[in-house]
Amino acid sequence: MKRFFVFFVLTFGSIILLSLGASAESRTAIFYNGTSEVERVDIDANGALSLPQGVDMGAKKFVGWAVSVDGAERLCAAGDDFSDAAGRGDLAFYAVGVEVRTLTGAAVTCAAPTQLRFDGAVSLADYNRLTQLVGEAGVRCGVLIAPYVASNAVAFDHGSDVEGLLDRPADAFLYTAGALGVFGGKSGEIGGEALLEKYCGRAYLTVTFGGKTHTVYADYSLEDHVRNAHGVTACAFEDRASAATASHANLTADGCYSPYTAEQLQALRARLDQVVYVSINDGVLGKYSLDHFTFYDFNTAHYVSPYRLDRVIADDRDNPTGYDVYVVVGEDGADFNTVTAYYIGGSYAPPKRAEEWKTDGIYIRHKN
């Protein structure tokens, strides 16, 4: 009887130990996107698991998984290994994302040097959440700027092979607007011959945690995020109001109100005078474009081109070249040498200054 009792005690004790061991192994990590459960992953006996890949967060870009351990939150990267050997039961991970966007359009400097500025915006709530998780030094915003022709009209990032790609990290927000923090990045200096060249902007945000830097990029649109300096200058010059407002406080010579002073408007006008639009049917017209596809007319009360079409030299019938020549001169004493770039027949053509700028006008060849 005594022997049986000892055997029973040992056996029962083994059952208890086995039960405890089995209980310690049955831990689960539950992953949430907001309040919705998206995945469950078993935690092994050593407290280790591999984190799943990121999830679709709609308008937000996924950054990582947040988990609270010992009362402290930490951010973990998708696909990383995670270890919690202390055995604290099930774990809950929450998807952390950020809404970052590139604002439509661009700004331009009023005076030399001519530069475009592309702006990005980030949700302040998302930005503050990330800084709580990794610290302020671990979150950075910025803008990538690329020449349109080099980008091949496709979205680009830090790893893209794009000649002339500029990375413009932002040291601080330019301003806050409601729930958004706005930051910007400037292009390099844009020379007169490049006033019609298109540039692209794309905002990004980097988060550093776990010894690595993770970058998310704003969505990219050719319609919204590609601009040329002449078109943006024209939009700024044409920005008028019929009555004074907080944003349009400067009375102009044409009786309208502008965000810009008379000196700034003069500088903008001087840049507009560097470009001429030549119609093969109607001569010199007052037009501008942001994308070289859609053209807008200047309000003639604000701006009239100081140039005119002097004559058209038709293709020589005896020695045909396939081109007619349009000769542009100044109107009322304006200096045509101020022109640095032009549209001809609704298309942008890189200027050939050495052969087209002559003493009596600009000789622009156009296929007939």
Side-chain angles (χ1 to χ4, degrees):
M1 182 70 180
K2 189 172 183 180
R3 291 177 181 174
F4 174 78
F5 177 77
V6 172
F7 176 76
F8 174 78
V9 170
L10 291 174
T11 302
F12 184 71
S14 298
I15 293 172
I16 292 174
L17 291 174
L18 286 171
S19 298
L20 290 173
S23 175
E25 292 175 2
S26 58
R27 300 175 61 206
T28 303
I30 308 172
F31 294 82
Y32 296 91
N33 182 9
T35 58
S36 300
E37 180 182 324
V38 294
E39 192 167 348
R40 286 177 176 246
V41 176
D42 290 334
I43 303 173
D44 69 19
N46 297 316
L49 72 150
S50 292
L51 303 182
Q53 295 303 311
V55 293
D56 183 357
M57 300 186 71
K60 296 186 180 185
K61 307 296 182 183
F62 176 87
V63 177
W65 297 104
V67 62
S68 181
V69 177
D70 288 339
E73 275 194 307
R74 55 187 284 197
L75 189 61
C76 309
D80 275 6
D81 293 330
F82 179 86
S83 179
D84 177 34
R88 299 175 178 82
D90 292 346
L91 294 174
F93 291 80
Y94 294 90
V96 176
V98 59
E99 183 180 356
V100 59
R101 67 182 76 162
T102 310
L103 298 185
T104 298
V108 69
T109 52
C110 286
T114 301
Q115 291 178 287
L116 287 172
R117 192 190 75 212
F118 291 90
D119 292 346
V122 60
S123 161
L124 290 174
D126 295 341
Y127 180 86
N128 291 335
R129 170 72 168 140
L130 287 171
T131 60
Q132 289 173 354
L133 287 167
V134 304
E136 289 189 12
V139 185
R140 286 288 180 266
C141 302
V143 179
L144 294 178
I145 301 173
Y148 174 82
V149 292
S151 72
N152 293 317
V154 298
F156 51 92
D157 56 33
H158 283 88
S160 298
D161 183 16
V162 176
E163 184 177 355
L165 179 66
L166 299 175
D167 183 3
R168 301 304 199 202
D171 295 328
F173 291 134
L174 296 173
Y175 59 91
T176 58
L180 298 176
V182 179
F183 52 94
K186 287 184 179 181
S187 69
E189 182 175 347
I190 300 172
E193 73 287 348
L195 287 176
L196 297 180
E197 295 286 355
K198 294 186 290 187
Y199 295 86
C200 324
R202 192 179 191 190
Y204 68 87
L205 181 141
T206 63
V207 188
T208 303
F209 58 96
K212 297 180 180 179
T213 296
H214 306 263
T215 306
V216 295
Y217 297 91
D219 293 339
Y220 179 66
S221 161
L222 290 176
E223 179 181 358
D224 295 335
H225 307 136
V226 177
R227 293 292 186 267
N228 67 73
H230 177 261
V232 178
T233 299
C235 288
F237 191 82
E238 289 279 77
D239 185 8
R240 309 293 175 96
S242 58
T245 66
S247 60
H248 295 66
N250 299 292
L251 180 63
T252 65
D254 51 31
C256 297
Y257 292 84
S258 169
Y260 309 103
T261 65
E263 183 180 5
Q264 290 171 325
L265 286 174
Q266 184 177 2
L268 293 173
R269 178 187 289 274
R271 187 182 299 144
L272 295 179
D273 289 347
Q274 291 181 258
V275 174
V276 62
Y277 181 101
V278 183
S279 166
I280 60 175
N281 295 317
D282 302 309
V284 171
L285 301 178
K287 289 183 177 291
Y288 64 93
S289 177
L290 298 171
D291 57 10
H292 304 343
F293 297 107
T294 303
F295 286 85
Y296 304 93
D297 294 319
F298 282 102
N299 185 326
T300 54
H302 306 156
Y303 179 80
V304 175
S305 175
Y307 312 108
R308 63 178 175 84
L309 180 63
D310 183 66
R311 64 192 185 278
V312 179
I313 304 173
D315 194 8
D316 189 338
R317 292 184 180 181
D318 295 327
N319 299 288
T321 62
Y323 290 86
D324 295 327
V325 177
Y326 294 76
V327 182
V328 174
V329 298
E331 182 77 276
D332 297 330
D335 184 5
F336 63 82
N337 289 294
T338 301
V339 175
T340 57
Y342 55 77
Y343 289 109
I344 179 72
S347 298
Y348 163 55
K352 305 175 183 66
R353 195 171 188 92
E355 60 187 76
E356 294 177 339
W357 270 252
K358 300 182 184 299
T359 57
D360 61 337
I362 308 171
Y363 286 62
I364 303 173
R365 300 172 71 224
H366 182 67
K367 195 170 184 65
N368 54 32

